[in-house]
Amino acid sequence: MTLRRLLSLALLAFAAPVAPSAAEDAQPFKVQFDVQIASGKTGAFVLEVHPDWAPLGASRFLDLVREGDAFWKGVRFFRVIEGFMAQFGIPGKPDVAASWRERTIADDEVKESNKRSYVSFATSGKDSRTTQMFVNLVDNANLDMMGFSPFGKVVEG
C-alpha cells in the first residue's frame, strides 16, 4: 500500500511506535507506525527522524514516541489536503491533548526543504509547535520561508 493511499483515507488510527534508546537520540532513527485503515484493514509506514535537521522538533517527536499509547492511542490523520499535506498529532483523549497544549517548543532553523514525504511540525505562529505535524504529499518549498522545519521523512509505506 502506498503512502498516498494510506494518507488519502484520513481514518487512520496509530499504534504506539517503539522509541529508540537514549544513545540513539542524536543519531537518525526510524519509527514504524502501524495504522488501522478501516475495520480489519491495517497498514504501516516508517518515519526516519533526523535530529541534525531540526533538533528541537526531533526531540519533541521522540518525547511523543516515548509516551506510547498514552499519546498515540486514537491519533488520526485529521486534515488531508490532496496535492499538499496530511496532518496528524492530536491525541484521542481530550485530557492528554490538553496536557500538551501549552508545552510549546521554539522553532528550529530550516535546514531541509519541505519535500515530498518529509515531516514537519505544524505551527500557529512563531515558537508555537506542540504535537501536530504533517507529511508533505508533494514538494512544498514555499513552506521553508514560513519556518516549517522538517525533522524527518517517510521512508517506507
Side-chain angles (χ1 to χ4, degrees):
M1 187 166 288
T2 66
L3 171 66
R4 183 179 191 106
R5 171 79 174 124
L6 280 174
L7 297 180
S8 69
L9 296 174
L11 295 174
L12 304 177
F14 290 86
V18 177
S21 69
E24 296 172 304
D25 286 0
Q27 299 298 316
F29 59 90
K30 293 180 180 180
V31 177
Q32 178 172 317
F33 288 92
D34 297 314
V35 295
Q36 180 179 350
I37 299 165
S39 182
K41 288 184 88 175
T42 60
F45 69 93
V46 176
L47 177 60
E48 183 177 83
V49 178
H50 290 265
D52 57 321
W53 294 358
L56 298 174
S59 178
R60 170 53 57 91
F61 179 75
L62 186 55
D63 289 344
L64 297 173
V65 168
R66 289 186 172 138
E67 287 288 314
D69 278 344
F71 179 82
W72 295 100
K73 188 172 177 98
V75 169
R76 301 185 184 288
F77 284 102
F78 63 89
R79 182 175 176 217
V80 178
I81 301 174
E82 189 173 338
F84 182 43
M85 61 86 203
Q87 191 169 347
F88 65 101
I90 298 176
K93 295 180 179 179
D95 59 324
V96 174
S99 74
W100 285 93
R101 192 170 294 120
E102 301 303 319
R103 294 163 65 181
T104 60
I105 57 172
D107 295 336
D108 281 302
E109 175 186 345
V110 177
K111 296 179 182 175
E112 288 291 322
S113 184
N114 281 274
K115 300 173 194 163
R116 182 178 187 272
S117 80
Y118 280 44
V119 181
S120 297
F121 273 93
T123 179
S124 60
K126 183 168 176 49
D127 298 332
S128 65
R129 298 179 297 167
T130 57
T131 64
Q132 295 181 38
M133 55 202 94
F134 60 90
V135 179
N136 288 287
L137 300 179
V138 297
D139 289 347
N140 288 313
N142 58 308
L143 297 177
D144 301 347
M145 293 178 10
M146 298 167 67
F148 292 97
S149 180
F151 65 89
K153 62 183 176 180
V154 176
V155 294
E156 293 177 37

